Amino acid sequence: MSNLNILISGFGIAGGAFVLCMLRAYPDAKITIVERDPTLRLTGASVDIRSSAVDIIKWLGLEPTIREQTTNEQGLQFVDANGKGVSTIGATGNSDSQSFTSEYEIFRGALAKIFIDPIIDRVTTVFDETIDHFEQREDKVRVTFAKSRDVKEYDLLVAADGYRSKIRGTMLNTQPEEHIRDLGAHVAYFTIKKDLLHGARLAKWYNATNGRVIFLRPDPDPAGRTRGNLIMVTTNRELKTRTRLDNALRQGNETYMALMEELFRDAGWLAPEVLQGMRESDDFYSSPFGLVRSPKLHSDRVVLLGDAGYATFGIGTSLAIIGGYVLAGELLRHSGHVEAALKGYGDIMQPHVNTLPSGENMMQWFNPQTWWGISIRNAILAVATGLKLDKLATMAASAFGFTEKKVAMPEYPWPAVE
C-alpha cells in the first residue's frame, strides 16, 4: 500500500525523522502534519545524537550537515563560586562511546530544520491547529480538529506531540500526566546575548545550595552569545519548592522568570549576569524533566512516537530519530499493512526502551543540596578526572566492546536512493 494517508501531530525532530524515512520507503505517501504553534518552532536548547541514531543520520546522508552545525562544545567543566575549574570531562572523540558532551552536540532548532528542510514541500502542514479527538474505525482513524472542527479520515495517526501527549491520554483512556514520572528537576532555557564564557568551548556547571544549578553552554554565533540554563533540583522532601515550580510553569514565562530571580539572586558565580540575560532573551521557555513509559505504543491505527511514548532523560532526541526510522521501516517491511507494522514497531521499541536507565534520582545524587555535599562531590570528580579515570573507563569500555546500547532491529528493504 504505497499511497498511505498519514496524519502526524507535531512537527519536530520525531515527526521530521519519521517523514524523511517514510518518503524513502513510500515516495507517494500522502502525509499531513498538524502543528499547534503558528509557525515552525526552530528554537531550543542543545540536544545530542547517540546510539543507533548515529547510524541513522549517516544512512540518511545528514551527518556532514549536522557536524557543520554542531556547537563545537569540547566538554563539561564544573566550577566553584569564583569560576575556578574543579573538574573537566572532555568529549571522547568517539561516536560509539560518548561522554556528557556528544560528538553531535547541536541546538534543537538547527537539528529540526535539517530534518524538516528536505520534506517541507512534500507534505501538507496545518499550523495553529490541534486534534480534538479521534475515533478508531475498522480500517481508518477518524480525526476531529480542534479549531476548524473539520473531520477527516486517515490510514494512520502518529502522535509526535511530546511528553504531555493528549493523544496518548485518549489512546490509553487516561489523563496524559498518568504515565509521566517526575524526575525532580525543572529547567529554564534561554539564549544570553553576551558571551559569558569569553570564547571558551567548555560548558560550565555551577552548583549552589538548595539544588540550584547554573549551567552555561557555548554558542558558536559570531555575535557572541551563551546558552543559559537555570536548573532547580528538588528531592521528595522539598515538595513545597517543587509545587511552586510546577505552579509557575502553569502560569507562564513571566511568573517563572520572577521565581528564578527570587531563587537565584544570591546563588553566586555569574547569577546576576545570567538573570539579566534571561530577562533580555527572546526564546525563554521552561520545562520539568519527565520520564514517559507508556504501557503500549500503539492501538489499532494510532501510534506514539518519540517523547509521546518514551521520553527519556539524556537520550530523548536519539530515541525520537530511532523511533521514526523503525516506524517507517516496519511500514515498509509489512508492505504498508498498518496493524502489522505497528505491532512490529512496538515489539522493537518497547523492549529497548524498558531496558534503559530511568534517570530517577540521578539529578539528586549528582547535585547535592548542601555546601558540604557539593564539596564532597567536587572532590570525587577532581580525583577521578585528575587520575584520568573517566578516560580510562571509556577506553576500557571501547576495547572490550562495551559501546552505547543500540537497538536490535531488522535490515529493512529500503529502495535505492536515486
Side-chain angles (χ1 to χ4, degrees), residues 151-228:
V151 178
K152 296 185 179 181
E153 291 188 341
Y154 299 89
D155 298 310
L156 173 63
L157 170 59
V158 180
D161 52 344
Y163 81 107
R164 292 191 183 277
S165 171
K166 180 181 177 182
I167 295 174
R168 180 181 69 241
T170 303
M171 188 186 89
L172 299 174
N173 195 27
T174 63
Q175 292 299 314
E177 292 76 18
E178 185 169 324
H179 296 100
I180 300 174
R181 296 187 220 165
D182 187 347
L183 298 183
H186 294 69
V187 191
Y189 308 90
F190 47 93
T191 301
I192 300 169
K193 300 173 184 178
K194 193 181 293 185
D195 183 6
L196 297 183
L197 298 175
H198 306 292
R201 294 291 93 194
L202 290 173
K204 308 277 185 171
W205 187 285
Y206 166 70
N207 284 88
T209 54
N210 301 316
R212 295 172 294 175
V213 178
I214 299 175
F215 179 35
L216 302 181
R217 308 192 81 162
D219 186 322
D221 191 297
R225 305 193 304 185
T226 311
R227 296 297 175 119

Side-chain angles (χ1 to χ4, degrees), residues 361-412:
N361 299 316
M362 185 185 74
M363 289 295 286
Q364 287 73 18
W365 282 106
F366 206 69
N367 297 282
Q369 298 281 322
T370 64
W371 279 124
W372 68 266
I374 295 168
S375 299
I376 293 172
R377 193 276 319 263
N378 286 348
I380 293 171
L381 285 173
V383 170
T385 54
L387 295 175
K388 302 188 184 306
L389 298 182
D390 58 322
K391 294 182 179 179
L392 288 173
T394 299
M395 290 170 61
S398 296
F400 285 98
F402 295 104
T403 56
E404 294 186 346
K405 184 177 177 64
K406 297 195 175 184
V407 181
M409 51 188 164
E411 289 286 334
Y412 294 116

Side-chain angles (χ1 to χ4, degrees), residues 39-67:
T39 60
L40 288 171
R41 187 172 72 85
L42 299 178
T43 58
S46 180
V47 297
D48 54 35
I49 302 171
R50 301 172 184 270
S51 178
S52 299
V54 174
D55 300 325
I56 293 167
I57 63 167
K58 291 178 179 178
W59 171 77
L60 286 168
L62 299 179
E63 188 200 21
T65 304
I66 290 172
R67 281 198 178 275

Side-chain angles (χ1 to χ4, degrees), residues 45-115:
S46 180
V47 297
D48 54 35
I49 302 171
R50 301 172 184 270
S51 178
S52 299
V54 174
D55 300 325
I56 293 167
I57 63 167
K58 291 178 179 178
W59 171 77
L60 286 168
L62 299 179
E63 188 200 21
T65 304
I66 290 172
R67 281 198 178 275
E68 286 173 3
Q69 298 187 40
T70 58
T71 65
N72 299 318
E73 186 176 294
Q74 296 176 355
L76 172 66
Q77 183 176 62
F78 295 88
V79 299
D80 62 19
N82 297 313
K84 181 180 178 182
V86 172
S87 173
T88 302
I89 301 174
T92 65
N94 179 358
S95 63
D96 289 327
S97 185
Q98 304 184 61
S99 69
F100 178 90
T101 296
S102 167
E103 299 306 301
Y104 304 97
E105 205 75 45
I106 184 171
F107 296 128
R108 178 205 166 276
L111 182 59
K113 193 172 187 299
I114 289 171
F115 279 110

